[in-house]
Amino acid sequence: MNLVNCKKALTANGWESDLEIGIGDDGRIGHVGPAGAAGGTSVDLLLPAPVNLHSHTFQRAMAGLTEMRGPSSSDSFWTWRQLMYRFLDRLTPDHIEAIAALAFAEMLEAGFASVAEFHYVHHSAGGNPYSKLSELSDRIVSAAETTGIGLTLLPVFYEFGGCDRRSLQGGQLRFKNDVDRYQQLHEAASATVAGSHADFNIGIAPHSLRAADPGGLTQLLTLRGDGPVHIHIAEQVAEVDEIVAHWGARPVQWLLDNHEVGEDWCLIHCTQMTDAETTALAKSGAVAGLCPITESSLGDGIFDGVEYFAAGGKAGVGSDSNIHISLFEELKTLEYSQRLRDRSRAALATENRSTGRVLFDKAAAGGAQAAKRHCGVIEEGMLADLIGLSTDNHWIGHLVDDAILDGLIFGGFGQQCVSDVWSAGRHVVRDGRHAQKADIVKAYRNVMREIESS
């Protein structure tokens, strides 16, 4: 076995000291016990590495390009979306793969060991399919292989431009499939995933209730197999109003009433829910996929984490638009949004666990469930998705147990403490840097020059 020795670790049994973690050739934790023979990799602190449960990697290349006010006096999510559509029309398969590789490398350096990629760009500009329908899905798999990140691929189904079944236009044409063609695409992408790393898997992702009619959604769900189901839901007020007008109920309520939403489901954003919807979703067993940095950037609104967690709800975090990839900043933004709304402090803490511990535990467990990935805890038999951190610093070196997580999340320097990351036993980050970062950055810069000149 490959060995990892640590002075402190957060395991299935809580905080433990002076441990040896053995990683088998299958990428799973084969042994957790007292520190033994010298050798292997030594770290100060070891944590389970969460899943980044929601990402659109191509949007990483848009960071810094959408902060100017448009001709309208009130920019919004919807005006941002138009900019995004125009940008993606410039992207070739090579561009998409290079951008994804950079985003994946940055996720690993941030402490995410795996990602659920909500991948909705399928065709060439104008909507013409590639000779292999899964060409762009295959490029995402290739980027994941290059970086070593764990992958749950979520090919997105997107047929209509709204609940009135209006046709897709402009940049949206790159997303379009009916159910039959989506099935062909999904089968091809599934074959690519099956031929890759053993820890890779695939699910399905109806983009939203606006992008699929009720019959199409029902038909789509028959294709799911054993994979998870992810869907954008209740992100914007205008979206809620449209669903109510056409389907007769708010989106979360409609979905819960009409489908067996349970542990295999992840509902992304949920920033526009009533109290009743919040409680009902928590009781369903599904995961709320939260993207606090992106939700702040786009003015989506604030997820009601206080009521949701009090009702036993499960949640995880994702980097979504990837304008800033940071595990600890996502968690901090989630908590601070609750404090700002309620004018409170330690909003998500419990009597027994600090705010940082609650946030980290939720992200680790919720992300693993959402991706259907056997990870999220340091325990024998689990995938070796691990974060090694240095405590030899003035940021967290003086902190103990749960306070360490509070320092990592709220101190502002958590990512600078990350020294090592393993994904299914692949040791992909050392000394805080991805092993292939230089080549990945070089390829990304070349792509950006091509895009800027196009």
Side-chain angles (χ1 to χ4, degrees), residues 60 98 101-102 105-106 109 433 436-449:
R60 169 63 181 82
L102 178 72
E106 291 177 337
E109 290 177 342
R433 188 170 175 83
Q436 296 171 271
K437 187 68 174 293
D439 290 340
I440 289 170
V441 168
K442 181 179 179 180
Y444 175 79
R445 286 178 169 173
N446 290 336
V447 159
M448 292 309 294
R449 281 193 289 270

Side-chain angles (χ1 to χ4, degrees), residues 418-421 427 429-434:
V418 175
S419 60
D420 298 81
V421 175
H427 194 176
V429 173
R430 302 171 189 259
D431 297 322
R433 188 170 175 83
H434 189 275

Side-chain angles (χ1 to χ4, degrees), residues 89 123-128 170-171 173-174:
D89 258 352
H123 311 305
S124 64
N128 296 314
L173 293 171
R174 299 194 72 173

Side-chain angles (χ1 to χ4, degrees), residues 10-12 46-53 111-114 287-288 290 309 313-318 327-328 330-331 334 353 355-378 382-383 385-387 405 409:
L10 181 58
T11 75
L46 198 67
L47 300 174
V51 175
N52 179 345
L53 59 62
F112 291 113
S114 59
V287 175
L290 310 176
F309 290 164
K314 301 174 182 178
V317 295
L327 166 61
F328 300 120
E330 293 288 357
L331 299 175
L334 172 57
R353 298 195 174 188
T355 310
R357 179 65 185 275
V358 169
L359 289 166
F360 194 85
D361 284 352
K362 288 286 187 183
Q369 179 178 321
K372 298 201 75 171
R373 184 174 175 86
H374 204 52
C375 66
V377 63
I378 298 176
M382 304 294 283
L383 286 170
D385 286 2
L386 306 168
I387 314 172
L405 295 171
I409 293 168

Side-chain angles (χ1 to χ4, degrees), residues 17-143:
S17 299
D18 299 320
L19 289 183
E20 175 185 271
I21 312 297
I23 303 173
D25 292 339
D26 60 357
R28 296 182 179 273
I29 298 171
H31 168 70
V32 179
T41 303
S42 295
V43 299
D44 295 337
L45 175 67
L46 198 67
L47 300 174
V51 175
N52 179 345
L53 59 62
H54 190 67
S55 162
H56 312 300
T57 48
F58 80 89
Q59 291 179 16
R60 169 63 181 82
M62 293 175 61
L65 299 179
T66 62
E67 299 304 325
M68 295 293 290
R69 182 178 293 281
S72 168
S73 61
S74 57
D75 277 17
S76 67
F77 167 86
W78 306 101
T79 57
W80 169 88
R81 192 175 72 156
Q82 294 305 315
L83 292 174
M84 183 263 288
Y85 291 157
R86 291 201 296 271
F87 175 80
L88 69 84
D89 258 352
R90 305 181 186 183
L91 303 182
T92 69
D94 287 345
H95 295 162
I96 286 172
E97 182 172 350
I99 295 166
L102 178 72
F104 289 159
E106 291 177 337
M107 290 174 197
L108 289 163
E109 290 177 342
F112 291 113
S114 59
V115 59
E117 178 66 12
F118 198 93
H119 174 67
Y120 55 81
V121 186
H122 299 305
H123 311 305
S124 64
N128 296 314
Y130 292 100
S131 58
K132 184 179 182 184
L133 275 175
S134 65
E135 171 69 26
L136 296 185
S137 292
D138 293 357
R139 295 304 188 106
I140 297 299
V141 174
S142 179

